[in-house]
Amino acid sequence: MLKREFKERDVQRMRNIITKDYTAKTVTQVGYSKAQIDRKEGDVWEESGKKWTIKNGIKQTVTRFDKLKEAINLPLTCPKCGKAMKNHNLNKKMWPLHKMCFDCVVVMETELKRTGQYEEYVRNLTTRGVKTYITELESALLELALEDSNEEFVTEQGDVEKWAGKGIDKQKLAEEIQEYIQKLKDHVKD
């Protein structure tokens, strides 16, 4: 004879176990519950002032550095040949430029030399590098133009140092940089 009486939720739990419905609820709870939204791979949404996405089944924040990370990080395998992309210095150098492993770059350059297109390939690489350098110079020139004339700096110790800007003519420096940029642009056109 049982000394205690079973409650309704105990009986319901046993029914759920027998019917193999392990996730079924045995009691009703009252309170606030947040609306659940099903998200799929690649969805992007904003929540609490942050952008979120799902990558490889994991909820992650979207940052402004994601494209940079994607450009720098080596994949596990080369997309061209399918071989493992070991974390080797040569692969690290070739991935941002060519999006393939070093071995594939060697094969590609050998084929270009064989067909006589290698010189044009090198010229295009050099031109692309000069164009990137021009863009960097233009952004430095913009920073120089927007820079405050305040020549006070705070050191690591917290001291305020005044640097005399005497002898530096920002206008003349900006003109020299613009002339240099124009010479680079003219050289790239040729």
Side-chain angles (χ1 to χ4, degrees):
M1 182 167 204
L2 290 174
K3 291 187 178 180
R4 82 177 189 140
E5 197 172 308
F6 288 105
K7 295 181 182 174
E8 177 61 32
R9 69 178 180 191
D10 295 331
V11 174
Q12 185 60 43
R13 181 70 183 140
M14 292 309 284
R15 284 184 189 137
N16 292 342
I17 291 173
I18 291 170
T19 59
K20 296 184 180 180
D21 190 8
Y22 303 110
T23 59
K25 297 180 180 181
T26 57
V27 293
T28 304
Q29 186 174 352
V30 178
Y32 171 76
S33 64
K34 188 175 178 181
Q36 192 69 20
I37 301 172
D38 278 342
R39 306 282 185 190
K40 295 183 180 90
E41 185 77 22
D43 286 353
V44 179
W45 70 95
E46 193 165 325
E47 185 178 299
S48 304
K50 282 187 175 180
K51 276 191 172 183
W52 296 87
T53 187
I54 296 183
K55 290 183 185 174
N56 301 324
I58 300 171
K59 180 179 170 184
Q60 299 177 352
T61 58
V62 177
T63 65
R64 61 183 180 177
F65 299 115
D66 283 347
K67 289 183 182 177
L68 179 65
K69 288 179 197 174
E70 191 175 297
I72 293 174
N73 288 341
L74 288 176
L76 294 175
T77 60
C78 175
K80 185 154 183 152
C81 67
K83 292 180 184 174
M85 290 268 288
K86 296 178 182 166
N87 202 7
H88 192 273
N89 282 340
L90 296 173
N91 286 336
K92 285 181 187 176
K93 289 180 182 178
M94 293 303 134
W95 177 251
L97 292 173
H98 301 289
K99 300 294 183 214
M100 60 179 95
C101 69
F102 177 73
D103 293 337
C104 290
V105 172
V106 169
V107 169
M108 177 192 69
E109 288 180 352
T110 304
E111 182 63 25
L112 289 173
K113 284 180 182 178
R114 192 183 67 75
T115 59
Q117 299 172 341
Y118 184 74
E119 288 79 18
E120 182 182 343
Y121 161 76
V122 170
R123 192 171 31 257
N124 288 340
L125 273 180
T126 306
T127 302
R128 195 167 59 191
V130 170
K131 287 180 179 178
T132 302
Y133 181 60
I134 288 171
T135 305
E136 290 173 0
L137 278 177
E138 287 175 339
S139 67
L141 184 63
L142 182 63
E143 284 181 31
L144 181 66
L146 296 176
E147 185 179 278
D148 288 341
S149 60
N150 187 6
E151 302 294 337
E152 293 182 352
F153 298 95
V154 180
T155 64
E156 292 174 351
Q157 291 81 19
D159 300 328
V160 177
E161 291 183 359
K162 290 186 179 182
W163 291 8
K166 298 175 186 172
I168 299 175
D169 184 7
K170 289 185 182 180
Q171 184 65 28
K172 185 178 178 185
L173 181 63
E175 289 172 3
E176 289 176 3
I177 292 175
Q178 285 176 337
E179 288 175 18
Y180 182 63
I181 289 172
Q182 190 57 45
K183 286 180 184 177
L184 285 174
K185 284 182 178 179
D186 292 341
H187 180 72
V188 170
K189 289 179 185 176
D190 295 338

